Amino acid sequence: MTPRTRQPVSRRERPAKPALSRAGIVEAALGVLRAEGLEKVTMRRLAQELDTGPASLYVYVASTAELHAAVLDELLGEVELGRRGDDWAEALIAVLVSYTDVLFAHPALAGSAVSARPSGRNYLRLLEKLLALLGEGGVPDEQAAWGVDLLLLAATAVAAEHSAPAGTEDWDATRQAVENAPAETHPRVRALAGPLLSGSAEERLTWHFRTLINGIRHTPVPKGEPL
């Protein structure tokens, strides 16, 4: 019986690979993020996903940090900017809560977002909405311009803190330390143990934003040399 011989496959018969683009790389990165986590969103992993070499990707994305920032910008498209109610401050808080929720949905990215600097269309869309709402509330332009950075930083920090892999044991230890603080050495901690530990995560988050908004409204920007 004559053994079968494998027929060579012509390269021309293979389907052509799609052309590389920045948008395609970011889309692939989002897929890897959702399936495998942020730690797998590397140039080497994406090169495997796109059937190319890592060096080819650097033509479109300069570094992993830039890639993470681009991924974050894509996710910012999920932030709800629709108006809720007539009060500008409540509408502003709703946008900030939605932004925080987006980061909560992608825990690994929340920590990266503290240092990542998105600069794409969705970031500008979010920035425009926040500035418009602050302006509607009568916040002076310079205070609004400085204030949006503070608001986004606070929201990002909250998401990063709660996305850390701390378990209930860590929280229980903190609670016990506050509740059992010796009154002789820590009288204020002992007296305010209830308020220190009170409130739901949503209540505290909303209070944080209200406090920051009020501070932004009433705290002038120092008059110095322009940056």
Side-chain angles (χ1 to χ4, degrees), residues 2-165:
T2 305
R4 293 184 178 181
T5 58
R6 186 175 180 179
Q7 295 298 320
V9 178
S10 171
R11 290 179 177 271
R12 295 181 179 179
E13 295 177 4
R14 297 178 183 176
K17 293 186 295 185
L20 283 177
S21 67
R22 182 182 175 89
I25 293 170
V26 173
E27 182 180 357
L30 280 168
V32 173
L33 170 69
R34 293 187 170 111
E36 304 175 28
L38 183 67
E39 65 279 1
K40 296 295 185 180
V41 182
T42 64
M43 294 300 195
R44 184 176 297 276
R45 176 67 184 86
L46 290 181
Q48 294 174 351
E49 190 75 14
L50 296 168
D51 190 23
T52 188
S56 300
L57 304 184
Y58 285 102
V59 176
Y60 303 92
V61 184
S63 64
T64 302
E66 182 180 320
L67 176 63
H68 288 179
V71 169
L72 175 59
D73 188 77
E74 283 299 309
L75 291 174
L76 291 183
E78 300 174 9
V79 177
E80 295 182 12
L81 303 183
R83 188 63 182 254
R84 298 184 186 179
D86 297 328
D87 184 79
W88 69 270
E90 293 305 312
L92 177 57
I93 290 171
V95 172
L96 293 168
V97 169
S98 178
Y99 168 80
T100 309
D101 287 342
V102 168
L103 294 183
F104 274 144
H106 305 280
L109 192 62
S112 175
V114 174
S115 57
R117 294 292 180 181
S119 56
R121 67 185 188 284
N122 289 321
Y123 171 72
L124 293 176
R125 171 175 162 265
L126 172 61
L127 201 61
E128 180 69 23
K129 185 65 174 184
L130 295 176
L131 289 170
L133 288 170
L134 287 168
E136 184 179 328
V139 178
D141 288 344
E142 289 188 348
Q143 287 163 228
W146 283 36
V148 290
D149 184 55
L150 180 60
L151 290 169
L152 290 174
L153 179 61
T156 303
V158 168
E161 177 189 10
H162 288 276
S163 67

Side-chain angles (χ1 to χ4, degrees), residues 193-217:
L196 282 170
L197 300 169
S198 67
S200 67
E202 183 177 354
E203 289 171 335
R204 280 181 170 262
L205 181 63
T206 300
W207 184 85
H208 290 165
F209 290 143
R210 286 202 182 100
T211 302
L212 289 173
I213 292 168
N214 287 332
I216 291 166
R217 291 178 68 191

